[in-house]
């Protein structure tokens, strides 16, 4: 079990992670999502023992991770910027075999075959996506309890992405592997994570499940009569809105039932409830936390 | 137990294997680039030597030695790549391997390569000149210093540059190509500056110029851009030399350079982001001190002082080593910081002592004398790397008037004298080209064959000539009793010597190096060690075109040839001609100066006899 207790990570005077707390049971797939520079990679580096936190503790089954070889044998870190120690696919496998006692070479090659990667294929001749596939295969074959993926799906095609997501889900269900995914692209991990940490400005602004995150908000397209004034209503009840030809797309920080009652008070011409995506919910969360890029005009 | 051992070593082996791969790959690329540039330009851009002109040792040997040594050091430096690049740093730090093991392994790699490189340079440089010199311990010191100055530090500078470029371009090949281009560019720019802007105006302390064929040596091999900046700064400051005293000017320039290099260094550190990525490896105090430690190694280059050079480098190196050791063995940060600081101070204190004591640390501007002003030229072609010859050079120098100031001048070469020396080597006095007598001192009389064309030969050996009148020449060491200089005995000796000289002059004989007695077309030759003086006249000076001599003669200044000029106004200059890096000579001359210290003081007290 991973326990993160009051972790603070600083770079000089800059606080990259502020007072983070986390408890991760085996088999969890955690998504670390946040804006650019929110501290996702720093958290992963701290959790994998690359960085040493200034305050707090990172414990795996009660053991600190920093410079702890025994703990690190159970962690695989897929960095944002890949590094290949070997020149070929085979070398990469051999490299990781030295470090991870449960590395499954057979599985690695099996995965490589599935993704049409040759053993002798030079890494430098691989495309960005292929390099990620090699590393993904290494991560899956490593046989560790915790896999950390930092922007790991970036560059993978949709088929490969979905395949790896299935494989990771299988790993977590069958072997109890924890997968921690850091990304800013929520679409990549839709239907993948069973828990989400939303990060903004070095802080965890939400630690929730995808379902809960989605249920927090309701979006409706409301058609209003001409000259209807919704200013007061929007200011009071709506977290974000958009208006086109008297059709308002309103997002509420309320459940669907509560929203329904509210909208009825407007006497709209028509109402259509729209299913929110994880990304929509994430954007709303960030906007509510103060992250919004507005007042930009192209022309 | 067996399982445990295998478990703990396997990651190390894996890591080592992964490093060797990139190690060889990068090293090969660097080597190829360097060799290519070397051949393309006829020189070695890494160290800046115009190796084509080194005729006294095997050019190819030297060239390849330089390239190989450079490559080895680049290998060594490259082992620290995981500390530089973010992705590698992240990967390795997340792996189940102790940071201390990681760092230790890298250090071992680096040290191994440095040793390898030292070995290469020792084996390839030194036998090319004189293996016998290894019998003397001081040679090792010189060799170590030379290797450090000429190879390790330049390689480290270049490595920093290369890594910065690679880190910036995020691509090894692009970075390496840029690096190569940069070297070439620097080389040609430097050459342009030297050729077009002028040499003397910039105070080319570290240059040896042979104007005849427009080649030059880039002596210390430090970063050429730094060198260019140095030259430009000097040029700028030289414009203001009429209003500012040269000494002040020098100080200002040096301070500017130190600041500049420090800024460059910090910038490169920032570029490779060592601070961020190395932080997990290194305690903060180490990171904070590291730039200063390296700066310590840089300053002597700028000050161009050998004594400082060695000691500051030593201090810097020891500081870094101690920091690493602390990092490895002391995990208690609170104790490590004061201990580290203490060690640093400990290393620094002795390094600053020579600042006040070393007379040769003084820098002086100078002007070359006009040829017409030269009264007499003394040519000392000793092979001063052996202690015997140091002693001998002492006895010669007692008459040849070297001084602390001359050390500065020794670092410069005047093209006319080079020409003259060449003519002298091959043609004898008839073709020297100046109406000055030349005195030659050489331990290698048998290869010099001077007796066949010298007018007078003064041998300090127990000569075979029965009629030679002997004044017992004493060595300086003879005046030392229990490590202290016996002033009274020395005074008594001087008195006796003067009487002897007067006696000789009255008798119409030559006094040793009594320049007024050396008239045109006289050659004075002093052979090897000995206590007697012999005189021999040789009338046949014509050795021109004699092939039998030319081969041997080329060998004469295999290491160093010194010229001493006595001007008509009584001033003296000392100059040196060598195909080798100045720092080697510098060390050698320091040794000479140390043994001659008392003479220098005596000369100074004699007034303005020496400049």
């Amino acid at each position: 079990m991973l326990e993160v207790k009051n972790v603070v990570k600083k770079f000089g005077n800059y606080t990259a992670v502020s007072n983070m707390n986390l408890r991760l049971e085996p088999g969890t797939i955690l998504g670390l999502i946040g804006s650019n520079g929110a501290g996702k990679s720093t958290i992963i580096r701290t959790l994998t023992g690359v960085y040493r936190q200034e305050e707090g503790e990172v414990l795996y089954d009660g053991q600190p991770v920093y410079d702890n070889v025994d703990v690190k044998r159970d962690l695989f870190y897929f960095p944002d910027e890949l590094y290949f120690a070997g020149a070929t696919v085979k070398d990469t496998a051999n490299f990781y075999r030295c470090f991870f006692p449960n590395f499954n070479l057979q599985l690695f090659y099996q995965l490589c075959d599935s993704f049409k990667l040759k053993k002798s294929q030079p890494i430098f001749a691989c495309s960005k996506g292929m390099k990620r596939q090699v590393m993904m295969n290494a991560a899956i074959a490593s046989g560790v309890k915790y896999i950390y993926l930092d922007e790991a799906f970036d560059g993978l095609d949709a088929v490969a992405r979905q395949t790896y997501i299935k494989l990771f889900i299988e790993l977590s269900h069958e072997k109890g592997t924890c997968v921690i995914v850091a990304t800013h692209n929520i679409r990549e991990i839709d239907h993948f994570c069973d828990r989400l940490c939303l990060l903004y400005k070095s802080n965890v602004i939400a630690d929730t499940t995808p379902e809960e995150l989605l249920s927090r908000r309701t979006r409706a397209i409301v058609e209003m009569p001409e000259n209807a004034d919704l200013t007061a209503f929007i200011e009071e009840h709506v977290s974000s809105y958009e208006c086109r030809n008297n059709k308002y797309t309103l997002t509420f920080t309320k459940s669907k039932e509560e929203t329904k009652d509210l909208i009825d008070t407007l006497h709209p011409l028509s109402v259509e409830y729209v299913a929110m995506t994880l990304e929509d919910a994430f954007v709303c969360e960030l906007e509510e936390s103060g992250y919004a890029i507005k007042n930009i005009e192209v022309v | 137990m067996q399982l445990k051992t295998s478990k703990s070593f396997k990651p190390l082996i894996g890591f080592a294997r992964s490093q060797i791969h990139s190690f060889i790959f990068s090293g090969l690329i660097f080597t190829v680039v360097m060799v290519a540039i070397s051949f393309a330009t006829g020189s070695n851009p890494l160290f800046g030597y115009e190796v084509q002109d080194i005729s006294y040792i095997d050019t190819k040997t030297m060239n390849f030695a330089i390239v190989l040594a450079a490559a080895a050091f680049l290998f060594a430096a490259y082992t620290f790549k995981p500390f530089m690049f973010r992705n590698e740093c992240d990967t390795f730090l997340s792996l189940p391997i102790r940071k201390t093991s990681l760092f230790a392994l890298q250090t071992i790699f680096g040290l191994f390569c440095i040793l390898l490189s030292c070995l290469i340079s020792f084996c390839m440089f030194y036998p090319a000149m004189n293996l016998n010199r290894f019998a003397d311990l001081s040679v090792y010191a010189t060799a170590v210093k030379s290797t450090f100055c000429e190879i390790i530090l330049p390689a480290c500078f270049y490595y920093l540059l290369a890594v910065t470029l690679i880190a910036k371009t995020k691509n090894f090949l692009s970075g390496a190509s840029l690096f190569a281009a940069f070297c070439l560019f620097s080389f040609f720019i430097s050459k342009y500056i030297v050729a077009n802007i002028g040499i003397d105006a910039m105070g080319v302390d570290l240059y040896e110029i042979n104007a005849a064929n427009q080649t030059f040596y880039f002596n210390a091999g430090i970063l050429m851009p730094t060198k260019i900046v140095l030259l430009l700064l000097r040029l700028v400051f030289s414009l203001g030399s009429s209003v500012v005293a040269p000494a002040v000017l020098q100080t200002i320039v040096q301070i500017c350079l130190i600041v500049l290099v420090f800024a460059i260094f910090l910038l490169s550190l920032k570029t490779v982001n060592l601070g961020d990525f190395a932080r997990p490896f290194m305690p903060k105090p180490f990171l904070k001190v590291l730039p200063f430690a390296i700066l310590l190694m840089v300053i002597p280059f700028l000050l161009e002082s050998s004594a400082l050079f060695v000691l500051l480098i030593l201090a810097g190196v020891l500081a870094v080593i101690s920091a690493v050791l602390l990092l490895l063995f002391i995990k208690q940060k609170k104790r490590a910081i004061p201990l580290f600081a203490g060690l640093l101070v400990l290393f620094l204190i002795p390094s600053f002592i020579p600042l006040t004591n070393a007379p040769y640390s003084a820098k002086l501007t100078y002007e070359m004398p006009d040829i017409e002003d030269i009264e007499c030229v003394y040519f000392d072609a000793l092979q001063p790397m052996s202690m015997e010859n140091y002693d001998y050079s002492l006895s010669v120098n007692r008459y040849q008037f070297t001084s602390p100031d001359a050390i500065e001048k020794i670092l410069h070469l005047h093209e006319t004298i080079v020409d003259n020396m060449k003519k002298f080597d091959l043609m004898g006095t008839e073709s020297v080209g100046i109406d000055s007598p030349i005195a030659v001192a050489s331990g290698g009389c048998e290869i010099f064959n001077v007796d066949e064309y010298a007018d007078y030969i003064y041998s300090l050996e127990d000569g075979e000539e029965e009629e030679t009148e002997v004044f017992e020449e004493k060595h300086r060491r003879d005046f030392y009793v229990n490590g202290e200089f016996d002033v009274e005995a020395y005074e008594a000796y001087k008195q006796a010597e003067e009487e002897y000289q007067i006696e000789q002059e009255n008798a119409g004989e030559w006094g040793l190096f009594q320049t007024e007695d050396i008239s045109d077309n006289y050659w004075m030759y002093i052979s090897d060690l000995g206590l007697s003086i012999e005189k021999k006249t040789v009338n046949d000076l014509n050795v021109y075109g004699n092939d039998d001599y030319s081969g041997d003669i080329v060998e004469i200044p295999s290491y160093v040839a010194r010229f001493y000029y006595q001007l008509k106004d009584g001033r003296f200059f000392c100059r040196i001609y060598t195909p080798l890096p100045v720092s080697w000579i510098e060390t050698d001359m320091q040794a000479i100066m140390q043994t001659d210290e008392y003479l220098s003081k005596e000369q100074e007290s004699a007034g303005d006899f020496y400049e």
Side-chain angles (χ1 to χ4, degrees):
Chain A
M1 187 176 62
L2 166 64
E3 286 176 287
V4 181
K5 296 177 182 173
N6 305 317
V7 163
V8 175
K9 177 65 200 163
K10 290 180 179 176
F11 294 105
N13 294 326
Y14 176 72
T15 305
V17 180
S18 174
N19 200 32
M20 185 184 182
N21 286 285
L22 189 72
R23 193 182 166 93
L24 219 57
E25 299 293 336
T28 311
I29 299 178
L30 172 74
L32 288 171
I33 50 178
S35 56
N36 299 124
K40 302 183 293 288
S41 298
T42 307
I43 288 173
I44 287 204
R45 287 191 186 110
T46 310
L47 299 187
T48 49
V50 174
Y51 288 158
R52 178 158 48 186
Q53 69 278 8
E54 268 67 35
E55 290 171 31
E57 286 178 308
V58 179
L59 304 170
Y60 288 85
D61 298 327
Q63 296 290 313
V65 64
Y66 188 77
D67 214 14
N68 190 335
V69 174
D70 291 332
V71 168
K72 284 186 175 182
R73 283 203 188 97
D74 282 328
L75 311 180
F76 189 97
Y77 172 42
F78 187 119
D80 184 13
E81 290 175 44
L82 294 183
Y83 168 70
F84 289 92
T88 62
V89 172
K90 189 182 172 185
D91 291 340
T92 306
N94 288 332
F95 176 73
Y96 283 107
R97 262 178 82 193
C98 296
F99 295 98
F100 300 107
N102 299 324
F103 191 90
N104 189 337
L105 195 63
Q106 204 183 343
L107 175 62
F108 177 82
Y109 286 136
Q110 199 183 315
L111 288 166
C112 287
D113 287 342
S114 304
F115 285 93
K116 314 287 181 214
L117 294 164
K118 290 176 189 168
K119 281 185 194 178
S120 56
Q121 192 159 346
I123 296 293
F124 72 84
C126 292
S127 68
K128 182 184 176 184
M130 288 160 83
K131 283 177 187 169
R132 298 212 159 236
Q133 286 173 8
V134 175
M135 198 56 90
M136 282 284 194
N137 296 346
I140 292 166
S142 63
V144 297
K145 290 181 186 169
Y146 299 88
I147 295 174
Y148 288 88
L149 306 172
D150 190 357
E151 308 287 0
F153 298 103
D154 183 25
L156 288 180
D157 62 63
V159 177
R161 190 171 67 239
Q162 290 303 324
T163 308
Y164 281 118
I165 285 174
K166 276 180 197 168
L167 287 169
F168 282 121
I169 291 171
E170 202 177 310
L171 265 183
S172 72
H173 285 175
E174 292 186 7
K175 293 191 174 177
T177 307
C178 272
V179 182
I180 296 96
V181 192
T183 183
H184 55 266
N185 191 348
I186 295 97
R187 283 179 194 173
E188 281 180 352
I189 56 164
D190 213 359
H191 311 298
F192 178 30
C193 300
D194 41 36
R195 193 168 156 190
L196 294 174
C197 263
L198 269 61
L199 302 167
Y200 178 61
K201 283 189 178 175
S202 316
N203 287 293
V204 178
I205 55 171
D207 183 356
T208 179
T209 61
E211 293 75 25
E212 194 194 328
L213 187 68
L214 289 171
S215 68
R216 284 182 189 176
R217 286 172 184 78
T218 306
R219 182 168 286 173
I221 301 172
V222 180
E223 190 179 359
M224 295 297 293
E226 213 167 321
N227 301 324
D229 185 9
L230 297 186
T231 314
F233 180 84
I234 287 171
E235 272 183 17
E236 193 176 347
H237 303 290
V238 176
S239 60
S240 68
Y241 79 101
E242 214 173 88
C243 178
R244 275 184 197 169
N245 303 326
N246 296 327
K247 276 190 175 180
Y248 292 83
T249 305
L250 306 173
T251 307
F252 300 87
T253 321
K254 287 179 171 56
S255 65
K256 196 174 178 181
E257 288 69 32
E258 289 173 301
T259 308
K260 215 173 178 179
D261 295 340
L262 271 175
I263 291 175
D264 285 345
T265 61
L266 293 173
H267 307 294
L269 298 175
S270 67
V271 180
E272 186 188 346
Y273 290 95
V274 183
M276 284 189 78
T277 63
L278 210 53
E279 187 172 80
D280 293 332
F282 173 64
V283 171
C284 287
E285 284 284 343
L286 286 186
E287 281 177 352
E288 283 163 20
S289 300
Y291 182 59
I293 301 168
K294 290 175 180 170
N295 303 323
I296 296 177
E297 289 176 8
V298 180
V299 183
Chain B
M1 186 66 195
Q2 200 181 348
L3 186 71
K4 197 179 177 185
T5 311
S6 132
K7 223 177 177 182
S8 52
F9 275 103
K10 219 175 168 185
L12 284 177
I13 293 164
F15 173 69
R17 209 194 297 167
S18 74
Q19 287 305 292
I20 286 168
H21 234 281
S22 58
F23 195 56
I24 293 168
F25 178 69
S26 61
L28 277 175
I29 289 177
F30 270 117
T31 310
V32 167
V33 168
M34 287 305 146
V35 170
I37 295 170
S38 181
F39 283 116
T41 62
S43 69
N44 191 310
L46 191 66
F47 298 101
Y49 295 125
E50 191 79 31
V51 286
Q52 283 176 340
D53 272 10
I54 299 171
S55 52
Y56 303 116
I57 63 171
D58 185 343
T59 302
K60 280 183 185 171
T61 306
M62 188 158 180
N63 202 358
F64 276 103
I66 290 169
V67 172
L68 282 174
F73 276 103
L74 285 166
F75 290 170
Y78 202 74
T79 57
F80 288 91
K81 192 163 62 78
F83 301 94
M84 300 283 186
F85 294 99
R86 184 177 184 159
N87 56 348
E88 280 186 58
C89 196
D90 283 358
T91 303
F92 283 117
L93 285 173
S94 68
L95 289 172
I97 180 170
R98 285 198 182 280
K99 287 174 183 56
T100 43
S101 310
L102 197 69
F103 201 86
L105 207 67
Q106 295 283 37
T107 310
I108 289 165
F109 261 125
L111 286 176
F112 173 76
C113 294
I114 286 167
L115 284 174
L116 182 75
S117 182
C118 286
L119 200 68
I120 291 169
S121 49
F122 275 4
C123 294
M124 300 190 85
F125 273 93
Y126 284 82
M129 291 173 289
N130 191 348
L131 269 178
N132 293 331
R133 283 186 276 125
F134 278 104
D136 182 358
L137 276 179
S138 64
V139 174
Y140 287 103
T142 309
V144 168
K145 185 210 157 191
S146 303
T147 307
F148 200 89
C149 302
E150 308 298 335
I151 297 170
I152 299 176
L153 280 183
C156 288
F157 274 111
Y158 271 84
Y159 171 67
L160 255 184
L161 176 70
V163 165
T164 308
L165 290 173
I166 292 164
K168 273 283 176 197
T169 53
K170 292 184 177 177
N171 181 301
F172 185 83
L173 283 175
S174 310
S177 310
L178 263 178
F179 176 61
F182 193 73
C183 288
L184 274 173
F185 176 76
S186 306
F187 176 82
F188 288 117
I189 287 288
S190 313
K191 197 161 188 168
Y192 175 82
I193 289 174
V194 171
N196 295 285
I197 298 178
I199 307 304
D200 286 340
M202 290 186 275
V204 283
D205 302 77
L206 286 177
Y207 283 94
E208 295 171 349
I209 306 296
N210 183 344
N213 52 16
Q214 287 297 312
T215 60
F216 67 94
Y217 305 121
F218 239 128
N219 187 279
I222 63 172
L223 270 179
M224 285 183 204
T226 314
K227 203 74 185 165
I228 295 167
V229 174
L230 184 147
L231 291 172
L232 289 174
L233 270 173
R234 284 193 173 158
L235 184 66
V236 169
F237 275 103
S238 68
L239 298 174
S241 61
S242 54
V243 285
V244 186
V248 178
L249 204 61
Q250 284 285 357
T251 310
I252 295 169
V253 170
Q254 282 169 0
I255 289 169
C256 288
L257 285 171
I258 289 167
V259 171
L260 181 79
V261 171
F262 192 47
I264 290 170
F265 179 73
L266 286 179
L267 196 69
S268 65
L269 269 188
K270 193 173 166 60
T271 307
V272 297
N273 216 353
L274 184 67
D276 272 357
F277 300 124
R279 193 167 284 139
F281 287 104
M282 301 174 190
K284 280 180 189 170
F286 176 71
L287 278 176
K288 282 180 182 168
V289 176
L290 184 69
F292 293 101
I294 297 178
L295 183 67
L296 283 176
M297 300 182 215
V298 178
I299 292 171
F301 268 122
L302 305 171
L303 296 177
E304 295 160 17
S305 156
S306 289
L308 271 179
F309 203 37
V310 177
L311 287 164
L312 285 178
I313 285 170
L314 195 67
V317 169
L318 289 177
V320 173
I321 290 170
S322 63
V324 173
L325 289 176
L326 282 169
L327 178 73
L328 291 177
F329 299 115
I330 302 172
K331 290 181 179 175
Q332 293 176 10
K333 207 172 166 183
K334 282 181 184 172
R335 286 189 190 174
I337 297 166
L339 190 59
F340 174 75
L343 278 172
L344 192 69
V345 170
L346 200 68
F347 292 133
L348 281 177
I349 289 170
S351 71
F352 280 105
I353 292 170
L355 267 175
T356 50
N357 288 346
Y360 34 77
S361 66
K363 286 186 64 62
L364 291 172
T365 53
Y366 80 103
E367 291 173 5
M368 268 303 295
D370 291 332
I371 296 303
E372 295 76 33
D373 294 334
I374 295 176
E375 175 79 20
C376 178
V377 179
Y378 301 105
F379 171 43
D380 183 359
L382 289 170
Q383 291 182 309
M385 289 300 287
S386 72
M387 287 310 290
E388 291 85 359
N389 281 337
Y390 277 137
D391 283 350
Y392 177 61
S393 68
L394 162 69
S395 63
V396 172
N397 284 330
R398 286 168 66 175
Y399 300 96
Q400 289 194 331
F401 321 111
T402 186
S403 72
D405 296 348
I407 286 296
E408 281 304 316
K409 300 175 184 78
I410 279 166
L411 300 179
H412 304 276
L413 182 69
H414 191 280
E415 64 270 20
T416 307
I417 300 308
V418 177
D419 280 345
N420 287 338
M421 192 190 78
K422 284 179 178 171
K423 289 169 188 169
F424 161 72
D425 283 345
L426 298 170
M427 295 181 275
T429 49
E430 283 184 339
S431 306
V432 162
I434 54 170
D435 293 329
S436 301
I438 291 184
V440 184
S442 175
C445 58
E446 62 284 351
I447 56 166
F448 204 25
N449 293 315
V450 173
D451 57 346
E452 295 195 22
Y453 54 92
D455 294 294
Y456 291 94
I457 291 179
Y458 287 80
S459 172
L460 295 181
E461 275 179 323
D462 283 330
E464 293 173 2
E465 302 292 334
E466 296 292 330
E467 69 276 14
T468 303
E469 190 170 352
V470 176
F471 173 78
E472 191 176 350
E473 180 76 17
K474 293 193 93 155
H475 290 276
R476 181 171 170 258
R477 62 184 174 206
D478 295 336
F479 298 108
Y480 276 91
V481 181
N482 296 328
E484 289 191 9
F485 189 62
D486 188 342
V487 181
E488 282 184 19
Y490 177 64
E491 290 299 330
Y493 163 75
K494 289 293 288 180
Q495 181 66 30
E497 188 186 51
E498 276 169 26
E499 286 170 10
Y500 170 77
Q501 299 286 7
I502 292 163
E503 189 184 324
Q504 291 293 305
E505 284 169 28
N506 290 343
E509 298 287 340
W510 269 49
L512 189 59
F513 285 88
Q514 296 291 307
T515 56
E516 61 270 26
D517 289 330
I518 305 174
S519 57
D520 290 352
N521 296 332
Y522 274 169
W523 287 79
M524 187 162 65
Y525 170 66
I526 300 171
S527 76
D528 219 332
L529 288 169
L531 298 174
S532 66
I533 298 169
E534 68 174 4
K535 177 180 161 188
K536 189 176 179 181
T537 304
V538 179
N539 293 319
D540 184 9
L541 299 173
N542 187 15
V543 292
Y544 179 68
N546 189 332
D547 291 335
D548 292 338
Y549 292 116
S550 58
D552 289 336
I553 287 166
V554 170
E555 295 290 326
I556 298 162
S558 62
Y559 173 63
V560 59
R562 272 170 281 165
F563 284 94
Y564 302 90
Y565 310 98
Q566 184 190 5
L567 303 189
K568 286 170 182 167
D569 61 6
R571 291 182 302 150
F572 277 79
F573 286 92
C574 182
R575 302 211 171 249
I576 206 156
Y577 177 71
T578 174
L580 299 175
V582 164
S583 59
W584 293 26
I585 313 305
E586 237 181 331
T587 309
D588 170 41
M589 291 312 294
Q590 281 170 32
I592 295 172
M593 288 308 298
Q594 280 156 10
T595 53
D596 275 352
E597 197 178 347
Y598 78 98
L599 279 169
S600 303
K601 285 175 184 169
E602 195 168 277
Q603 287 158 4
E604 280 168 5
S605 64
D608 293 328
F609 192 58
Y610 308 96
E611 187 191 68

